[in-house]
Amino acid sequence: MASVQQNNSRKSRKILITGGAGFIGSNFVHHWCNNYQSDRVVVLDALTYAGNRNNIASLEKNANFLFVQGDICDRSLVDKLLAEEEIDTIAHFAAESHVDRSILGPGAFVQTNVVGTFTLLESFRQRWLCQGQPLDYRFLHVSTDEVYGSLAPEDPAFTETTPYTPNSPYSASKAGSDHLARAYYHTYGMPTIITNCSNNYGPYHFPEKLIPLMCINILLGKPLPVYGDGQNIRDWLYVEDHCRALDVVIDRGKPGETYNIGGNNEVKNIDLVRQICILMDELAPDLPVSPSEKLITFVKDRPGHDRRYAIDATKIKTELGWSPQETIEGGLRRTVHWYLNNRDWWQPLLSPEYQTYYQQVYS
Ligand code: NAD
Ligand code: TYD
């Protein structure tokens, strides 16, 4: 894991990380535990299909680390944890996060993303009030660029002032939670900060998302389903860069502000899939189908599929000094290696439940 520059005057924190067994959350938990060994780190995660305790199992022996399985919508549990662990910082990752699942069943997205975020905000507000409204408390709300909607090819990238126009139940529920986090600063003065990040990739990414799905399907010799014409554009950020950005935001970000985080890597889906095929052909011996590009299959488009996302990350660069370090070529190579070397991690995730989901989306 990349380390951050140590700030000697840095305040030690008692941090609650929600969703810390998921993809970005678990990368962030590793980042935090590696860099701030004397901080108290509490992970709250419901272990839904997307949560995997193995992602952070190596940390469970640390005296400063606690894992709690539970729901962010459970107010009494959240109240108890904040009080008993004397939490001063929340890094809130827990969410239903997959657009295709939000199309199949939006209810869980409203529940976790909106009601769950509200529950955390309320609980944290009570604690912050009871402690005399300390200035150094932080509630980091981790969100997505998808709240800004879809861009045309020549449109400028999303800035922090781009109006919200979410198009999927996922992005609409994230937008709702962003508005709540914002309102808690403006109404109560509670030190919330919102980050809106582009598509992440890297280790521990659940198989349903584009990059892991392509890596795994190539290794299994299964079709590579590309939605529509494959010309949709996403901006890709290596997950470690995202973790460093969030660290800087907690440390130096201004309460009440929003920071956009992006990788400066706009890529068409079809080009990304082809790059993964080339890397797999180079790195994986004995692929079932070779060259793996033969597996690319154009399939029916996702309903309401956003055409393009792009992030203008000038604010976080100029105000907080963060910029991404990993290139898309380097990050993809590391990611392909990881999926090649970690079959034991992903194979059990292709469960009967996952197969049912897969059938629903792709058949
Ligand atoms: P993920 O789906 O991999 O992980 C979500 C985690 O939250 C899982 O561990 C799950 O068990 C947990 N969880 C779900 N519902 C819960 C509940 N009710 N109570 C407690 N825990 C619950 O998601 P991710 O890709 O790691 O995304 C993390 C956050 O970052 C999300 O808020 C997402 O909106 C945001 N984000 C993701 C991306 C991306 O590219 N993945 C980009 C920008 C922002
Ligand atoms: P995804 O990883 O689901 O992230 P998001 O929808 O949040 O951006 O998808 C990334 C892009 O890849 C998106 O444009 C949809 C497309 N896609 C496919 O073409 N095929 C697939 O099987 C998947 C999962 C996604």
Side-chain angles (χ1 to χ4, degrees), residues 7-313:
N7 171 359
N8 291 335
S9 60
R10 172 186 180 271
K11 168 195 153 50
S12 74
R13 292 190 181 271
K14 293 180 176 163
I15 186 168
L16 177 74
I17 302 175
T18 71
F23 164 46
I24 307 174
S26 62
N27 278 280
F28 183 80
V29 170
H30 282 286
H31 169 95
W32 203 269
C33 291
N34 283 343
N35 285 286
Y36 308 119
Q37 281 153 19
S38 54
D39 279 13
R40 177 69 168 159
V41 174
V42 180
V43 170
L44 173 61
D45 196 297
L47 297 181
T48 66
Y49 80 94
N52 187 341
R53 202 165 165 172
N54 291 333
N55 296 359
I56 46 175
S58 61
L59 299 169
E60 295 209 24
K61 58 183 182 316
N62 295 0
N64 272 343
F65 181 84
L66 176 69
F67 177 82
V68 178
Q69 180 172 359
D71 192 328
I72 56 166
C73 302
D74 181 343
R75 176 70 193 268
S76 55
L77 171 65
V78 176
D79 283 352
K80 185 167 160 284
L81 270 181
L82 295 194
E84 282 181 5
E85 295 293 335
E86 301 175 343
I87 296 297
D88 54 40
T89 304
I90 292 185
H92 174 35
F93 295 86
E96 288 294 336
S97 70
H98 191 38
V99 174
D100 292 318
R101 289 197 192 241
S102 82
I103 295 166
L104 293 172
F109 287 71
V110 174
Q111 182 63 20
T112 287
N113 300 359
V114 182
V115 178
T117 302
F118 166 68
T119 307
L120 287 172
L121 286 164
E122 267 300 89
S123 181
F124 194 69
R125 182 166 77 90
Q126 288 312 320
R127 171 156 178 79
W128 174 71
L129 281 175
C130 291
Q131 296 303 307
Q133 309 183 21
L135 293 174
D136 56 4
Y137 274 36
R138 287 292 177 276
F139 187 109
L140 171 68
H141 177 63
V142 180
S143 192
T144 165
D145 59 358
E146 304 194 24
V147 296
Y148 297 122
S150 184
L151 293 170
E154 303 308 324
D155 284 344
F158 303 131
T159 70
E160 288 78 1
T161 55
T162 301
Y164 275 31
T165 47
N167 291 318
S168 72
Y170 164 63
S171 54
S173 65
K174 289 297 292 187
S177 64
D178 292 11
H179 291 322
L180 284 169
R182 181 177 191 278
Y184 271 64
Y185 174 78
H186 285 274
T187 305
Y188 305 115
M190 196 173 96
T192 60
I193 305 183
I194 300 167
T195 54
N196 295 95
C197 187
S198 58
N199 286 58
N200 283 219
Y201 67 106
Y204 305 119
H205 207 177
F206 192 80
E208 68 195 356
K209 302 279 170 66
L210 180 71
I211 291 180
L213 188 128
M214 296 299 155
C215 293
I216 291 169
N217 282 13
I218 293 171
L219 291 169
L220 299 177
K222 289 179 60 178
L224 307 179
V226 175
Y227 294 156
D229 61 5
Q231 300 296 308
N232 303 65
I233 292 173
R234 296 292 181 266
D235 171 57
W236 293 94
L237 179 69
Y238 194 64
V239 64
E240 279 181 12
D241 276 328
H242 189 190
C243 294
R244 280 193 311 105
L246 298 177
D247 185 333
V248 167
V249 169
I250 290 174
D251 191 40
R252 301 201 293 278
K254 259 180 71 186
E257 293 290 315
T258 289
Y259 297 91
N260 278 359
I261 304 172
N264 288 324
N265 285 312
E266 280 188 61
V267 190
K268 287 182 182 153
N269 290 343
I270 186 63
D271 295 338
L272 188 75
V273 173
R274 290 207 172 104
Q275 265 181 273
I276 296 170
C277 289
I278 291 167
L279 279 167
M280 273 291 180
D281 291 347
E282 178 197 329
L283 298 173
D286 307 326
L287 286 174
V289 176
S290 175
S292 42
E293 271 205 31
K294 284 200 278 191
L295 293 168
I296 293 176
T297 312
F298 289 92
V299 299
K300 190 169 167 290
D301 208 353
R302 171 190 278 173
H305 193 177
D306 286 339
R307 196 63 175 166
R308 172 177 167 239
Y309 302 141
I311 281 277
D312 180 341

